[in-house]
């Protein structure tokens, strides 16, 4: 409140004085002589500024992550891993986060020509982006997994570190995902291509910034992303020295400042023909620049103008005689990239869980600072209820991420059982598709918790939502991955689904003596049985039901992970409460929709009629 010195001043402020020029001047003189201060006058814009949310150490705050590590990592490794994660958790909230903000302010751009008209296609990135390259090497964000210093837990350690890094990475996490996948490919084919271990693998896994390489993944062409068998038009022409030249157009290629790339192409036979479909695809290794530092017969046509991930250079590339080397058997290109796809999907899952954790942490802190209607937000039960629901989703996503990473680590060092391999194959597409959807919901809700500030670009909050949208698209959309889940089950002749069921039973057994978890455990057990029964009796409906089926598998497995965590000796009351709340939801939407006749031919026809009701071009149907 402020005070004014006279009745005339009060009348002016209250609008009850005829404001002639002379009267106003007289009042102003009176105010100046009496040293009365009015708000919002001249340069005074008021004393209040909203306190922004603040990041603390992102590892020490993460109870779910810390508990999971304590449950699984042997004590001889745990202390060293935790120490590094705590140090890194501080960095991602400070200097690394500042670099990510700079990457957003300084997006990449393309210089097609030099001052004299020569085509150079020079990609210019922010110094902050280049610094993130060096940090990625120094922190071992790829190296950790391949040094295998911590045996089977090396991969889990690496993914936990990437999980902390992702929201502050300025999207440098994208080239790291493809680099990780490239290293995995080279490691898997080293017996056939030993030269690649020296040429590329040692650089992809280096901790020396001057040696560290990143890799691209150039699979998407104009005809579409997931359908590489029908969409790949790039051809490969054999050269006398055994290399190939590639000729094609890559329509969506991310991280174009990478040093190398793997790509699919169709080798030409002696008649200049190719084999169409999957059987005609082979995998090729190429380096982006030649020995003189010039582009390897690659023309960068344009940079993509994207909804999000603006920090990340994504381009359309014309390959016009690009030198490359075939590294798979003829017709085995898609099989050869399976390791890369598995890893990039797990990276995608990690990014989704990390984004959820970041927005929840920010919203939680903001609730202790923002006052409305006479109280801070944390004192309003409805607001805390909303944050709690976000927290439940986040913890489930995090546990799914860590569990898949743990299984991959066992496969890395060849100690995974056949049961675990089948489980990993099934869980990878499930984790990617479901966490992508969770992320969009949680981050959107998180922005809403900031009110209008959540919509202001200057706060750095909208970027989280824009960047998260790609996580439902990269490495396969929800429907594509749902069908991949069915392929995993079919290819294993049902063994993957049986492994899924058995693993859930094992996890639930840990809660057998916990009365607080009895109801939740029984619901998950019933859900797992329902899924098995549905798959057995409704094989003909599975493709139509694939999305709901994948959701049912995901929710049920996440329920078992939450219960297992809540039943451990490291658990808190919050872990128990999280498991209880998660299991209140419909764990098997596939069963619920089936009961409503959602997968019948009549439903198919009705869906089509509904979607195209009023469509003005029936000739195209």
């Amino acid at each position: 409140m402020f005070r004014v010195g006279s009745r005339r001043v009060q009348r002016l402020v209250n609008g009850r004085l005829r404001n002639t020029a002379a009267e106003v001047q007289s009042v102003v003189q009176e105010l100046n002589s009496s040293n009365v201060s009015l708000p919002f006058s001249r340069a005074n814009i008021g004393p209040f500024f909203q306190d922004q949310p603040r990041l603390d150490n992102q590892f020490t705050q993460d109870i779910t992550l810390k508990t999971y590590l304590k449950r699984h990592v042997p004590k001889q490794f745990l202390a060293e891993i935790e120490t590094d994660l705590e140090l890194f958790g501080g960095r991602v909230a400070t200097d690394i986060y500042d670099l990510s903000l700079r990457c957003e302010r300084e997006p990449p751009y393309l210089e097609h020509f030099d001052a004299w008209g020569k085509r150079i296609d020079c990609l210019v990135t922010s110094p902050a982006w280049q610094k993130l390259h060096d940090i990625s090497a120094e922190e071992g964000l790829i190296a950790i997994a391949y040094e295998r210093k911590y045996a089977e837990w090396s991969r889990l350690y690496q993914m936990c570190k990437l999980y902390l890094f992702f929201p502050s990475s300025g999207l440098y996490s994208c080239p790291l995902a493809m680099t990780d996948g490239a290293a995995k490919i080279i490691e898997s084919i080293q017996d056939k291509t030993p030269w690649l271990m020296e040429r590329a693998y040692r650089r992809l896994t280096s901790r020396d910034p001057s040696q560290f390489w990143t890799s691209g993944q150039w699979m998407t062409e104009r005809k579409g992303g997931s359908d590489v068998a029908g969409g790949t038009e790039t051809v490969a022409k054999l050269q006398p020295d055994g290399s190939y030249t590639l000729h094609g157009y890559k329509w969506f290629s991310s991280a174009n400042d990478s040093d190398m790339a793997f790509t699919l192409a169709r080798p030409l036979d002696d008649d200049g023909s190719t084999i169409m479909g999957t059987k005609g695809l082979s995998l090729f290794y190429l380096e982006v620049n030649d020995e003189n530092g010039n582009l390897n017969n690659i023309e960068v046509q344009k940079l993509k103008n994207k909804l999000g991930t603006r920090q990340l250079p994504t381009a359309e590339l014309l390959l016009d005689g690009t030198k490359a080397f075939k590294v798979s058997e003829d017709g085995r290109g898609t099989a050869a990239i399976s390791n890369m796809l598995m890893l990039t999907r797990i990276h995608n899952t990690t990014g989704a869980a990390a984004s959820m954790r970041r927005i929840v942490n920010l919203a939680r802190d903001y609730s202790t600072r923002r006052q409305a209607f006479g109280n801070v937000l944390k004192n309003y039960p409805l607001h805390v209820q909303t944050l709690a629901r976000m927290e439940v989703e986040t913890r489930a996503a995090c546990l799914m991420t860590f569990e898949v990473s743990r299984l991959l680590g066992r496969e890395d060092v060849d100690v995974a059982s056949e049961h675990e391999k089948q489980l990993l194959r099934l869980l990878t597409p499930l984790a990617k598709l479901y966490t992508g959807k969770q992320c969009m919901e949680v981050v959107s809700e998180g922005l809403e918790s900031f009110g209008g500030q959540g919509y202001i670009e200057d706060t750095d909050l909208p970027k989280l939502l824009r960047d998260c949208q790609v996580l439902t698209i990269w490495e396969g959309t929800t429907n594509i991955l749902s069908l991949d889940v069915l392929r995993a089950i079919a290819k294993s002749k049902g063994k993957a689904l049986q492994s899924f069921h058995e693993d859930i039973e094992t996890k639930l057994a840990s809660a057998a003596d916990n009365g607080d978890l009895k109801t939740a455990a029984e619901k998950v057990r019933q859900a797992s049985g329902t899924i098995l029964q549905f798959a057995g009796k409704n094989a003909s409906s599975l493709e139509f039901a694939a999305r709901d089926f994948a959701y049912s598998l995901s929710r049920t497995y996440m329920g078992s992970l939450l219960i297992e965590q809540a039943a451990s000796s490291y658990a808190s009351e919050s872990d128990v409460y999280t498991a209880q709340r998660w299991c209140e939801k419909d764990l098997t939407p596939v069963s619920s929709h089936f009961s409503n006749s959602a997968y019948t031919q009549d439903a198919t026809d009705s869906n089509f009629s509904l979607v195209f009701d009023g469509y003005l071009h029936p000739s195209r149907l």
Side-chain angles (χ1 to χ4, degrees), residues 26 36 63 73 93 121 162 223 287 314 316 322 342 443 459 475-476 532 554 558 591 621:
S26 174
V36 174
I63 301 302
V73 178
D121 286 350
L162 286 165
K223 287 189 176 181
E287 294 177 12
T314 304
E316 295 181 25
T322 302
M342 173 178 285
V443 173
T459 66
E475 312 308 333
L532 278 181
S554 301
M558 285 177 169
S591 178
L621 298 181

Side-chain angles (χ1 to χ4, degrees), residues 129-150:
W129 178 264
Q130 298 161 29
K131 178 63 176 175
L132 288 168
H133 166 278
D134 296 350
I135 289 173
S136 297
E138 293 163 351
E139 291 284 355
L141 296 181
I142 300 301
I144 288 170
Y146 297 92
E147 292 166 345
R148 309 258 158 78
K149 178 181 177 181
Y150 304 96

Side-chain angles (χ1 to χ4, degrees), residues 275-294:
I275 299 173
M276 300 309 295
T278 304
K279 293 182 179 180
L281 292 176
S282 298
L283 184 65
F284 290 84
Y285 162 87
L286 64 89
E287 294 177 12
V288 176
N289 297 296
D290 61 22
E291 58 274 12
N292 297 317
N294 300 315

Side-chain angles (χ1 to χ4, degrees), residues 203-276:
R203 292 181 168 93
L204 296 171
T205 59
S206 176
R207 286 179 179 261
D208 181 352
S210 67
Q211 296 293 311
F212 180 55
W213 275 12
T214 58
S215 176
Q217 175 183 314
W218 298 353
M219 308 297 174
T220 304
E221 302 196 8
R222 283 171 168 164
K223 287 189 176 181
S226 296
D227 183 14
V228 293
T232 301
E233 299 176 304
T234 300
V235 298
K237 185 177 181 181
L238 182 63
Q239 302 300 303
D241 64 357
S243 67
Y244 286 78
T245 56
L246 302 184
H247 306 265
Y249 199 94
K250 299 299 181 179
W251 188 77
F252 196 97
S253 304
S254 290
N256 289 279
D257 61 334
S258 294
D259 302 278
M260 55 156 285
F262 280 111
T263 189
L264 294 173
R266 301 184 188 279
L268 295 167
D269 61 22
D270 294 338
D271 297 326
S273 301
T274 61
I275 299 173
M276 300 309 295

Side-chain angles (χ1 to χ4, degrees), residues 336-410:
I337 64 172
S338 60
N339 282 324
M340 174 176 271
L341 285 177
M342 173 178 285
L343 257 173
T344 51
R345 286 172 176 176
I346 293 174
H347 276 260
N348 201 100
T349 301
T350 303
S355 299
M356 295 163 69
R357 171 51 60 205
R358 174 60 59 86
I359 194 68
V360 170
N361 283 2
L362 288 170
R364 177 180 59 186
D365 182 78
Y366 192 65
S367 74
T368 69
R369 302 175 186 279
R370 170 63 170 159
Q371 289 198 14
F373 304 106
N375 215 331
V376 289
L377 296 182
K378 72 179 182 65
N379 292 333
Y380 291 105
L382 183 60
H383 188 77
V384 175
Q385 178 194 71
T386 302
L387 296 182
R389 289 173 177 173
M390 293 162 58
E391 179 70 27
V392 169
E393 295 291 331
T394 300
R395 292 192 181 202
C398 289
L399 288 180
M400 184 70 125
T401 299
F402 305 147
E403 185 71 358
V404 172
S405 301
R406 184 184 70 83
L407 290 171
L408 178 60
R410 290 182 59 77

Side-chain angles (χ1 to χ4, degrees), residues 66-72 75 510-511 514 517 562-573 575-576:
K66 291 169 67 178
T67 300
Y68 188 89
L69 291 174
K70 283 183 171 61
R71 286 175 48 213
H72 289 285
K75 290 183 178 180
S510 64
N514 192 318
L517 295 170
L562 289 166
I563 289 170
E564 182 185 41
Q565 177 110 329
S568 75
S569 59
Y570 299 103
S572 66
E573 291 182 5
D575 290 314
V576 174

Side-chain angles (χ1 to χ4, degrees), residues 77-144:
F77 299 138
L78 182 61
E80 190 171 341
I81 289 174
E82 284 186 322
T83 297
D84 183 54
L85 291 178
E86 183 170 351
L87 289 171
F88 195 60
R91 286 201 73 184
V92 298
T94 51
D95 62 308
I96 293 177
Y97 178 65
D98 290 340
L99 290 171
S100 74
L101 296 179
R102 186 173 176 186
C103 285
E104 184 74 9
R105 293 193 302 267
E106 302 170 356
Y109 62 92
L110 183 63
E111 293 182 347
H112 276 302
F113 303 95
D114 68 12
W116 303 97
K118 179 182 178 182
R119 181 155 189 165
I120 55 174
D121 286 350
C122 178
L123 177 62
V124 182
T125 58
S126 167
W129 178 264
Q130 298 161 29
K131 178 63 176 175
L132 288 168
H133 166 278
D134 296 350
I135 289 173
S136 297
E138 293 163 351
E139 291 284 355
L141 296 181
I142 300 301
I144 288 170

